[in-house]
């Protein structure tokens, strides 16, 4: 079983829809959780990070972590065509160990 | 936020040759990271480059194949040596967000390498 599982999609939604992106993980030692957005031919861009279970909101984006279920989610409200990108989850153990990335989910928001 | 410039953005190379990728940051950073992103795969960490010390390589990556330099706090290079088609990938450098240790917050735009 891979440490981090993420459905690669592709996921296609109409403009204005609520998008739910998810990752599961197997190692309960992960302490912090990130979501990155990667546009085509660009490097990943950090969207959200959190250290604890619960929800964290930033504009149209909400990151949710459920440590008991080893499950994290990213919700995008009122999705826009500019949200079309690949979204990668990532998890870390501590400050000096490398992150473990999911494979990324490719999202297309159709106008 | 840090701005990272990575060069070249893409290259097509002959097998058996080497390519050096440069990563320039607009501010001083302690830790820089080099990743590989193969099509349809996760980002895989190659090594962590700290200024003034040898790079730390992850399992499956060795210095002879991927030598790294870190001459100062704003610059690093990754060389892909004796290339084969299996090295075709996107190579990315990354730096941490100050005050949030361990978060690879900023990435360069990547170098898309094709080996023929």
């Amino acid at each position: 079983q891979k440490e981090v599982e993420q459905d690669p999609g592709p996921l296609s939604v109409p403009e204005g829809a609520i998008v739910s992106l998810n990752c599961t993980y197997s190692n309960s030692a992960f302490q912090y959780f990130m979501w990155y957005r990667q546009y085509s031919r660009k490097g990943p861009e950090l969207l959200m990070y959190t250290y604890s279970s619960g929800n964290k909101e930033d504009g149209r984006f909400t990151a949710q972590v459920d440590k008991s279920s080893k499950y994290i989610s990213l919700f995008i409200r009122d999705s826009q065509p500019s949200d079309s990108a690949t979204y990668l989850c990532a998890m870390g153990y501590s400050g000096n160990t490398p992150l473990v990335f999911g494979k990324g989910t490719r999202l297309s928001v159709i106008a | 936020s840090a701005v990272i410039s990575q060069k070249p953005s893409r290259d097509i190379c002959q097998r058996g040759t080497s390519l050096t990728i440069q990563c320039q940051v607009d501010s001083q950073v302690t830790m820089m990271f080099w990743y590989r992103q193969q099509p349809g795969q996760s980002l895989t960490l190659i090594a962590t480059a700290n200024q003034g010390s040898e790079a730390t390589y992850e399992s499956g990556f060795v210095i002879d194949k991927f030598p790294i330099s870190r001459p100062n706090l704003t610059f690093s290079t990754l060389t892909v040596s004796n290339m084969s088609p299996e090295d075709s990938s996107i190579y990315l450098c990354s730096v941490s967000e100050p005050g949030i240790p361990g978060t690879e917050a900023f990435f360069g735009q990547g170098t898309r390498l094709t080996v023929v």
Side-chain angles (χ1 to χ4, degrees):
Chain A
Q1 180 185 14
K2 292 189 185 300
E3 280 196 291
V4 177
E5 298 273 6
Q6 183 176 10
D7 186 338
L11 179 63
S12 184
V13 302
E15 183 176 358
I18 296 175
V19 176
S20 173
L21 304 166
N22 310 296
C23 288
T24 59
Y25 61 96
S26 57
N27 193 331
S28 58
F30 285 130
Q31 295 182 18
Y32 52 92
F33 308 88
M34 273 80 78
W35 285 96
Y36 291 81
R37 177 175 62 197
Q38 186 174 21
Y39 292 113
S40 180
R41 303 186 185 280
K42 300 286 187 183
E45 169 194 11
L46 181 64
L47 272 180
M48 306 275 289
Y49 67 91
T50 182
Y51 295 104
S52 58
S53 283
N55 294 350
K56 182 176 182 179
E57 191 172 316
D58 184 2
R60 295 185 296 110
F61 298 91
T62 299
Q64 186 177 79
V65 174
D66 183 347
K67 288 188 176 181
S68 62
S69 301
K70 299 191 183 66
Y71 189 89
I72 70 170
S73 299
L74 179 70
F75 298 98
I76 307 174
R77 290 184 298 280
D78 186 25
S79 56
Q80 304 295 310
S82 58
D83 295 326
S84 298
T86 296
Y87 291 80
L88 301 108
C89 63
M91 305 177 191
Y93 300 98
S94 69
N96 293 316
T97 54
L99 293 178
V100 180
F101 283 83
K103 287 189 176 185
T105 300
R106 199 168 77 202
L107 170 68
S108 294
V109 181
I110 310 300
Chain B
S1 61
V3 176
I4 302 173
S5 300
Q6 196 173 328
K7 293 194 292 188
S9 59
R10 60 171 58 213
D11 207 341
I12 300 174
C13 301
Q14 297 289 325
R15 69 177 66 201
T17 63
S18 298
L19 175 72
T20 295
I21 302 167
Q22 299 180 5
C23 182
Q24 178 75 52
V25 189
D26 69 344
S27 58
Q28 293 185 339
V29 293
T30 304
M31 299 175 74
M32 296 179 74
F33 308 87
W34 286 98
Y35 282 85
R36 183 172 71 184
Q37 187 177 28
Q38 294 178 309
Q41 301 298 316
S42 305
L43 273 71
T44 302
L45 182 65
I46 298 170
T48 303
N50 295 322
Q51 195 266 336
S53 63
E54 293 278 338
T56 303
Y57 288 83
E58 297 302 307
S59 176
F61 298 97
V62 295
I63 188 171
D64 289 346
K65 176 67 176 177
F66 297 101
I68 287 171
S69 78
R70 183 78 200 276
N72 56 53
L73 292 174
T74 63
F75 187 78
S76 178
T77 67
L78 169 75
T79 299
V80 186
S81 303
N82 188 26
M83 287 183 285
S84 66
E86 292 70 34
D87 294 320
S88 297
S89 187
I90 298 172
Y91 293 84
L92 294 148
C93 69
S94 172
V95 303
S96 293
E97 170 77 13
I100 309 176
T103 56
E104 280 81 302
F106 305 108
F107 282 83
Q109 79 275 21
T111 296
R112 187 177 297 266
L113 171 63
T114 303
V115 184
V116 297

